[in-house]
Each structure stands twice: as C-alpha cells, then as structure tokens.
Amino acid sequence: YNILIVDDSATTRAVIAKTVDIAGVPINTIFEAVNGKEALQILNDEWVDLIFSDINMPVMDGVKATQTLAKEYPDTRVIILTMYRHDSYVFEAIKAGARGYLLKDSDENDLMDSIRAVHRGEAIIDAQMAARVLDEFSRISKEAENKAKYRRLTPAEMDVLRLVARGDDNKSIAKALAISERT
C-alpha cells in the first residue's frame, strides 16, 4: 500500500506519516509533497493507493489537485485532512472526488479508522460535517424540484425574448417573426 501525504507543513506530514505507520494497514512506501502540483508529479512516476491532502496550499490547492486526480487516477483515493470546517470546502472536496474529509484535530483513532475504511473502499466524513453535507444535498434536491416546476420556453418564445432583449418594440418583433402584433 503506497500513501502520499500532501501538506505544506513538514510537521503535519511527519505526524500523519507516524499515524499511518501504526494504523495497521500494510504500507510499502510513504511519499510526501508540499502542494498539489508536486503530488501530481509524484503520481507520474509512482503508484499511490491513498492520498492525504490538505486543502489550503500554495501553487495548487487540495481541491484542484483532487479534481485532476479523480480524472487521471480514479483508483487512487483521496482523504482531505485539513483544519478548515467550512461547508464550502467540504462540498467542493466531495464534488472534486475526495473519499473522505477529516479535520487535522481528529484523534489518532479517527485517523486510523479512516485509513482502514478507505482501504476497504468506504468513504469517511467527520460526523459533524456529515450532517451539514446531508443538509446541503437536501437543499440542492429541493432547489432542483423547484426549478423543474417552471417549464422551459419554446423556441418561438425564445425568439420573442431575444428581440425584446435587443430592445425591439412589439411592431418590429411581429414583423421580424411574421406574426401578429397581438401574438
């Protein structure tokens, strides 16, 4: 099992590496990178099964790197490990393809459990954030239902709308579309 730790803090990389080492997952190699761009360069030469990535890093952040990883290395799993509890970060990381989202203040047991869970193919999200993720998906679903209630304009209605947007008056619109002004 090859693991890549992506964080601009050497101390954080060392703590994660130590925790990974005692997690009980068979480890071959632990690679380290200071940003998303460096992580992608490592992946060009090395196979990596699991990546721990911070979100906020110089050069290329964790979300952008995760988006690229999900496309180019779909079998490599990413756990975002960050100090940010902001909903927008969580949602963006999940949309980008992260299999987990944990806070850096998670204890060793949580980190080890997440490694084992992702190793088994499961996803992991900090319990407090999971409720907010579910709330957001519920909100998105309701928003989509509300949008579906409104019908789309027909092609003829779109033609009229374009001419109105251009500033044409009713008489000009009727003439341009060969319809009566009352239509």
Side-chain angles (χ1 to χ4, degrees):
Y1 211 67
N2 293 335
I3 294 179
L4 172 59
I5 302 167
V6 187
D7 198 298
D8 55 335
S9 163
T11 303
T12 300
R13 290 192 313 269
V15 168
I16 296 169
K18 180 181 180 225
T19 305
V20 164
D21 190 43
I22 61 172
V25 175
I27 306 295
N28 293 328
T29 308
I30 297 176
F31 300 99
E32 295 184 20
V34 297
N35 59 54
K37 184 177 180 182
E38 190 175 304
L40 292 171
Q41 290 168 341
I42 290 171
L43 286 167
N44 284 332
D45 299 324
E46 305 290 343
W47 173 257
V48 174
D49 300 286
L50 175 63
I51 297 173
F52 284 99
S53 179
D54 191 10
I55 281 194
N56 199 2
M57 298 177 288
V59 183
M60 181 185 286
D61 67 34
V63 171
K64 185 156 182 75
T66 300
Q67 288 170 335
T68 303
L69 288 164
K71 290 176 191 165
E72 296 182 19
Y73 306 95
D75 293 332
T76 299
R77 292 180 166 79
V78 177
I79 296 176
I80 298 294
L81 188 61
T82 185
M83 62 185 199
Y84 297 105
R85 198 179 289 270
H86 303 295
D87 292 351
S88 61
Y89 287 139
V90 177
F91 304 141
E92 290 304 312
I94 291 170
K95 284 192 280 186
R99 300 289 296 170
Y101 193 102
L102 293 174
L103 297 174
K104 286 183 180 177
D105 64 1
S106 298
D107 65 29
E108 275 187 10
N109 291 329
D110 288 341
L111 187 57
M112 288 188 287
D113 289 345
S114 72
I115 294 167
R116 292 180 192 116
V118 171
H119 179 67
R120 292 187 304 265
E122 300 170 10
I124 186 91
I125 298 176
D126 175 86
Q128 291 178 349
M129 289 183 281
R132 294 199 304 256
V133 169
L134 292 174
D135 289 344
E136 177 66 5
F137 284 123
S138 176
R139 185 193 66 75
I140 290 169
S141 176
K142 287 177 185 170
E143 191 175 283
E145 286 175 20
N146 287 338
K147 285 181 181 177
K149 290 178 184 176
Y150 300 100
R151 67 174 178 84
R152 297 197 182 274
L153 296 176
T154 66
E157 290 169 331
M158 286 299 295
D159 290 339
V160 172
L161 185 58
R162 281 188 197 92
L163 294 171
V164 167
R166 192 170 74 181
D168 290 3
D169 61 16
N170 289 352
K171 189 173 186 175
S172 300
I173 294 170
K175 185 176 180 180
L177 299 177
I179 56 176
S180 77
E181 195 172 333
R182 297 183 83 184
T183 300

